[in-house]
Amino acid sequence: MKNQLTLLFVLLGYLLLPMSMSGTTVALPQIGTALDASGGALQWVVTGYFLTASSFMLVAGSTGDLLGRRRVYRFGGATFAVGSLVAALTPNILLLDIARTVTGVGAAGVMAGGGAILATTFSGAERTRAFAAMGTTAGVGLAIGPTLAGWLVGSLGWRATFGVFALGGILLLAGTFAMTESRAAQRPRADWLGAVTFIGGLASAMFAITQSSRAGWTSAVVLSLLAAGAVLLTAFALVERRSAHPVLDLSLLRNRKFVGWVLAGVVMVLGFGGVTSFLPTYLQGSNGLSARDSGLVMLMSTAPVLVLPLLGGRLVNRGTSPRLLIVTGLLLISAGNAWLTSLHQGIGAWQLLGPLATIGTGVGLASGLIDAQAMNQVDQSRAGMAAGLLNTVRGGSQTLVLALFGSMLISLLTGRIGAEQAGRVATGSLAGPGHDVLAGHLTESWQVLLWAIAGLTALGAVAVAVLLRAPRTRCPQPAVPAAA
């Protein structure tokens, strides 16, 4: 019974936090009006949460191994609740930005702590089922986040959205009393220098990426942030090599199969991250769909994620090769992107069903496998570290994919219609004279990007297949008879 309660509350965290990430964007227009905010200050409501959540996940996971995974999860739930409550009551945009940034730290504790708790609570087939349920739940959170947030904002106002998240955080905190504490057998000194250099380096690099679409990759700010990130991450690698008890044990990266599953997570994000985030904008600008209708179209890609992670876990428990399933999933994502190059102005929802469902099927298969199979490659004493690394890599990949997708789309449009209109058209603003011509250029740019994503995802699938291949066993040499 206690294990089932543990699973229930961990799943609640994986439902709530993706909703907080994807749903808050819907509230930005009302927040801007209410707090007289715009531009970077308003965008930081989303960016600040995402940066701290991604940057702190590895440190949160390793801290859980050291001090206790339930303790880190509890701290994360409490921080998430307090940050969301302050966001709901804030009188100005500055305090809201600070609250959301702090809330991201809490999200890191919940995400990294939750994965480690599942890894140490369950084993064998039960672990596979638990992580499959986690993949399904995270998919549900991402899928219904904008819809639920839109309903809350429309019915009760944007403050109620953060109030709901605060109540959810309180539930997560209460749920920790049903969990069993676990930590590594030894309790070494904390690697503070490793933690500081990692958080600083990753935050600098990710902030540079988020600023690139507005300031440009060659701007002094972006280049300075990238340089600072590179220096700090290099220092982090040097510190970890010499540390007796590092935040990230670099020997994890010498485990070929673990790296293969981490790479699978990156390839999965590459294959669907940009499409799911930017396709609604295309449909609204080129086809004139409403925000609600474009959201309904996107359910074609998210619906399979509600079912297939559990199916994938069941197939693994019945003897199907995880390597076969993950490669199949990634190739389906690649095929879906290639199929989506049929995109054109006026395309109907039924014409989008095939490619979007194919992408969603691939994501559904992959998302139920990656965490469980990666955790199977490490011992329990490093479960928090491994969970933190997985979530960090996925979060960083999502940031990079979103920034590069938007930047490449604008670059392709600039070559066709000039820099003055490219940014406006890329965000779906096509109203006025020449709508059809601009929609044609936008479609052609999308098709180029989709072919590139399809090709890179296919190459990634091949690389994952190679990394997950079982090592060859040498045939024993026949004994040479002794001379008489």
Side-chain angles (χ1 to χ4, degrees):
M1 181 63 180
K2 193 168 187 177
N3 285 0
Q4 298 309 311
L5 285 174
T6 297
L7 176 61
L8 175 64
F9 283 106
V10 170
L11 293 183
L12 176 62
Y14 272 82
L15 175 69
L16 183 67
L17 271 63
M19 285 173 55
S20 178
M21 189 176 296
S22 65
T24 303
T25 55
V26 179
L28 288 183
Q30 271 202 19
I31 293 172
T33 301
L35 301 182
D36 191 24
S38 61
L42 182 60
Q43 190 59 40
W44 192 260
V45 175
V46 175
T47 304
Y49 175 93
F50 195 81
L51 278 176
T52 50
S54 299
S55 300
F56 277 82
M57 278 182 188
L58 175 61
V59 174
S62 294
T63 303
D65 292 337
L66 175 65
L67 301 178
R69 288 123 188 170
R70 184 182 67 173
R71 182 176 295 179
V72 166
Y73 191 92
R74 180 176 290 172
F75 170 81
T79 304
F80 184 85
V82 170
S84 297
L85 181 61
V86 172
L89 302 174
T90 183
N92 57 62
I93 191 65
L94 177 60
L95 185 57
L96 177 58
D97 285 342
I98 293 172
R100 287 290 291 170
T101 302
V102 172
T103 304
V105 178
V110 172
M111 297 288 278
I117 287 169
L118 290 189
T120 53
T121 301
F122 299 96
S123 60
E126 285 190 340
R127 177 191 282 190
T128 302
R129 285 193 292 268
F131 276 103
M134 188 184 81
T136 299
T137 305
V140 171
L142 286 171
I144 70 173
T147 303
L148 178 60
W151 177 81
L152 286 171
V153 170
S155 303
L156 304 174
W158 63 270
R159 294 183 186 276
T161 306
F162 292 121
V164 169
F165 293 146
L167 289 174
I170 293 171
L171 283 176
L172 296 181
L173 179 61
T176 60
F177 293 96
M179 300 176 183
T180 301
E181 183 62 282
S182 66
R183 59 174 63 89
Q186 296 181 341
R187 299 188 64 182
R189 293 177 59 186
D191 179 16
W192 295 115
L193 184 57
V196 169
T197 52
F198 180 80
I199 291 171
L202 187 61
S204 296
M206 292 180 64
F207 188 49
I209 292 168
T210 60
Q211 296 301 301
S212 63
S213 59
R214 181 167 64 249
W217 286 99
T218 57
S219 70
V221 172
V222 171
L223 291 176
S224 298
L225 286 168
L226 287 174
V231 169
L232 286 169
L233 290 175
T234 300
F236 168 74
L238 295 174
V239 168
E240 299 308 275
R241 277 187 172 186
R242 299 177 181 180
S243 175
H245 305 287
V247 169
L248 174 60
D249 186 346
L250 297 179
S251 67
L252 271 179
L253 304 181
R254 292 195 291 270
N255 183 329
R256 192 182 70 181
K257 287 193 174 182
F258 178 77
V259 172
W261 287 108
V262 172
L263 178 61
V266 174
V267 176
M268 182 184 73
V269 170
L270 168 67
F272 86 96
V275 170
T276 54
S277 298
F278 287 92
L279 186 58
T281 302
Y282 173 90
L283 295 175
Q284 291 174 58
S286 178
N287 288 11
L289 294 185
S290 66
R292 180 182 67 86
D293 288 343
S294 61
L296 289 174
V297 168
M298 295 310 297
L299 286 177
M300 296 175 181
S301 63
T302 54
V305 182
L306 310 183
V307 178
L308 288 175
L310 291 174
L311 175 61
R314 186 171 298 176
L315 289 172
V316 169
N317 285 339
R318 291 185 176 181
T320 304
S321 164
R323 175 174 177 259
L324 174 63
L325 286 176
I326 190 63
V327 172
T328 300
L330 297 179
L331 289 176
L332 283 171
I333 296 173
S334 174
N337 278 278
W339 192 352
L340 194 56
T341 57
S342 60
L343 196 68
H344 60 269
Q345 185 184 1
I347 190 169
W350 289 112
Q351 293 171 285
L352 290 168
L353 176 60
L356 291 181
T358 301
I359 293 173
T361 299
V363 172
L365 282 176
S367 60
L369 293 172
I370 292 171
D371 289 81
Q373 297 303 317
M375 289 296 188
N376 286 341
Q377 309 304 318
V378 300
D379 55 75
Q380 287 199 356
S381 65
R382 298 188 294 179
M385 182 188 297
L389 180 60
L390 274 169
N391 284 295
T392 297
V393 170
R394 271 196 298 247
S397 300
Q398 182 73 15
T399 301
L400 183 61
V401 166
L402 292 180
L404 288 178
F405 194 101
S407 178
M408 291 301 298
L409 189 59
I410 291 173
S411 296
L412 290 168
L413 284 167
T414 299
R416 290 174 164 82
I417 59 177
E420 186 175 342
Q421 295 189 84
R424 179 174 61 84
V425 173
T427 55
S429 299
L430 306 176
H435 174 276
D436 291 346
V437 174
L438 293 176
H441 289 306
L442 178 59
T443 299
E444 291 169 2
S445 300
W446 258 89
Q447 288 168 344
V448 171
L449 267 179
L450 289 169
W451 278 121
I453 292 171
L456 290 172
T457 306
L459 289 174
V462 172
V464 169
V466 171
L467 287 169
L468 298 182
R469 184 176 56 195
R472 293 179 180 178
T473 56
R474 292 185 177 181
C475 297
Q477 297 297 323
V480 178

